[in-house]
Amino acid sequence: MNRVKLLIIEDDLDQRELMRETLELHFGPGCTLGVGTCAEALRQNLGDFDLILTDFNLPDGSGVELLEQIRRQCCTPVIMVTGENVVQTAANAVRQGAIDYVVKVGDYLFTLPLVVEKNLTVAKVKQENESLRRELEITLLELREKNAQLEHSLQKVQTMAATDPLTELYNRRHFARVLEQLFAETLRYDKDLACVMIDLDGYKQLNDGFGHQVGDQLLVLAGRSIHANLRQMDVAARYGGDEFVLLLPHASAQDAAIVAQRIREDYFKTSAELLKRPQGVCMSMGIASAGQNHPAHGDQLVALADAALYQAKDSGKNRIVQAAP
């Protein structure tokens, strides 16, 4: 066993010397320090000792009172040594935090080293277990943090895969998945679903005339105007080039027309500010709805809205056209 450091608190000098000699004979010379009072004991750095043996009756206090003060300073294991062969005394000491007890009767000095060695081993195992517990807690905390980072990264990747990087609206691939889901819900619950196709009027000429940087900013503004005028349940995507598509669950064609008009007005104003001119960029829009047009599937709903959009473009642009019932 490695060199240990023991503290003996015993007011009887003869008993203290006998205990010291017995323990040093077993654990090695100089491994013990003996004191005779609570005050002397409390002047020591109690955390430096591997184990403390204290008498139950001391001149300036009881062993239990001293035990309470030791526990406030450190977690060094304490063995209570008593000359009273009373089970209640020993049990009370253990309840107060003593790791074990020794009764000073008969040949107790012969068994004292074994009791100390046993409790040193138990204390070492407890210390190692506590160290392992702390390491495990740290590992689990790190694992939770890494899992959170991984989940955040995964969500970020999923968002990037579903999002148009310029406008921050959904891309066409993700829109196709959402369309299928929303159309199925529309049929299942007999609710309406409106689709709005949007095209920026004269975008190619503006892009060529003002440059691609301004052209990109016009697309970004369109995405913002669309997003600002939709409900949380609505879906918006960049369909391609300067075309956008909206899905409005539980909305009729008339409801969609109101939303479309708000988007047109918002975009006309913000694009005028960007271009630094009185006239902003106009939008042509086509609208179809499940309740009014009775499409057989989601793609047909989009096709009907797209046909209405082309009708709006052919009719002079800058207008909203609803697909005929």
Side-chain angles (χ1 to χ4, degrees), residues 155 157-164 168-182 233-239 245 247 299:
Q155 290 175 347
V157 169
Q158 290 174 339
T159 300
M160 291 175 62
T163 305
D164 173 60
E168 297 184 356
L169 302 178
Y170 286 132
N171 57 33
R172 186 166 179 173
R173 180 185 302 171
H174 184 73
F175 172 80
R177 290 196 291 268
V178 176
L179 171 64
E180 183 178 349
Q181 176 186 344
L182 290 180
M233 64 167 48
D234 297 334
V235 176
R238 184 180 178 190
Y239 204 64
V245 60
L247 287 176
D299 289 338

Side-chain angles (χ1 to χ4, degrees), residues 66-216:
L66 177 60
L67 178 61
E68 292 176 356
Q69 296 183 70
I70 292 173
R71 281 290 157 266
R72 295 192 192 105
Q73 294 186 30
C74 64
C75 58
T76 302
V78 176
I79 294 178
M80 191 68 64
V81 182
T82 176
E84 303 173 20
N85 191 9
V86 180
V87 175
Q88 185 61 36
T89 300
N92 185 45
V94 172
R95 279 196 295 270
Q96 295 296 323
I99 193 172
D100 206 343
Y101 67 92
V102 172
V103 181
K104 290 188 289 186
V105 293
D107 297 331
Y108 82 96
L109 289 172
F110 290 103
T111 60
L112 184 62
L114 299 178
V115 173
V116 171
E117 187 170 335
K118 178 198 75 172
N119 285 288
L120 284 172
T121 302
V122 170
K124 183 180 180 181
V125 171
K126 285 183 177 179
Q127 186 178 19
E128 290 174 350
N129 287 343
E130 179 62 21
S131 177
L132 288 172
R133 186 190 64 80
R134 287 195 297 267
E135 289 178 7
L136 181 60
E137 285 183 350
I138 293 171
T139 301
L140 289 174
L141 180 61
E142 292 174 349
L143 184 60
R144 282 195 291 268
E145 290 176 352
K146 288 180 180 178
N147 283 341
Q149 293 172 359
L150 181 61
E151 185 176 351
H152 176 73
S153 299
L154 182 59
Q155 290 175 347
K156 189 174 180 181
V157 169
Q158 290 174 339
T159 300
M160 291 175 62
T163 305
D164 173 60
L166 184 62
T167 63
E168 297 184 356
L169 302 178
Y170 286 132
N171 57 33
R172 186 166 179 173
R173 180 185 302 171
H174 184 73
F175 172 80
R177 290 196 291 268
V178 176
L179 171 64
E180 183 178 349
Q181 176 186 344
L182 290 180
F183 193 82
E185 291 177 1
T186 295
L187 296 179
R188 184 180 305 116
Y189 300 110
D190 195 24
K191 299 290 185 180
D192 210 343
L193 175 66
C195 178
V196 182
M197 291 292 297
I198 303 172
D199 185 81
L200 305 186
D201 293 332
Y203 175 77
K204 185 178 184 307
Q205 291 77 9
L206 290 167
N207 192 44
D208 292 341
F210 285 90
H212 295 298
Q213 186 174 2
V214 173
D216 285 348

Side-chain angles (χ1 to χ4, degrees), residues 194-196 198 225-226 228-231 234 246 248 250-267 283 285-289 292 319-322:
C195 178
V196 182
I198 303 172
S225 294
I226 290 169
N229 289 282
L230 294 184
R231 302 166 300 174
D234 297 334
L246 317 179
L248 284 63
H250 306 173
S252 66
Q254 291 72 27
D255 296 330
I258 295 171
V259 174
Q261 183 59 30
R262 287 204 305 264
I263 293 171
R264 289 177 68 229
E265 293 172 356
D266 189 343
Y267 186 61
M283 289 178 165
M285 299 183 173
I287 297 175
S289 73
Q292 180 170 288
R319 65 194 63 205
I320 301 171
V321 173
Q322 295 184 32

Side-chain angles (χ1 to χ4, degrees), residues 11-59:
D11 61 322
D12 187 310
L13 181 58
D14 291 337
Q15 286 289 333
R16 189 165 73 233
E17 282 301 304
L18 286 172
M19 292 171 66
R20 183 187 65 78
E21 290 175 2
T22 301
L23 292 172
E24 290 194 356
L25 185 64
H26 184 84
F27 292 104
C31 69
T32 63
L33 173 67
V35 298
T37 65
C38 295
E40 287 181 276
L42 293 173
R43 282 197 291 269
Q44 309 301 319
N45 189 351
L46 300 175
D48 286 347
F49 293 95
D50 297 296
L51 187 139
I52 299 171
L53 298 101
T54 179
D55 192 15
F56 187 79
N57 293 310
L58 294 166

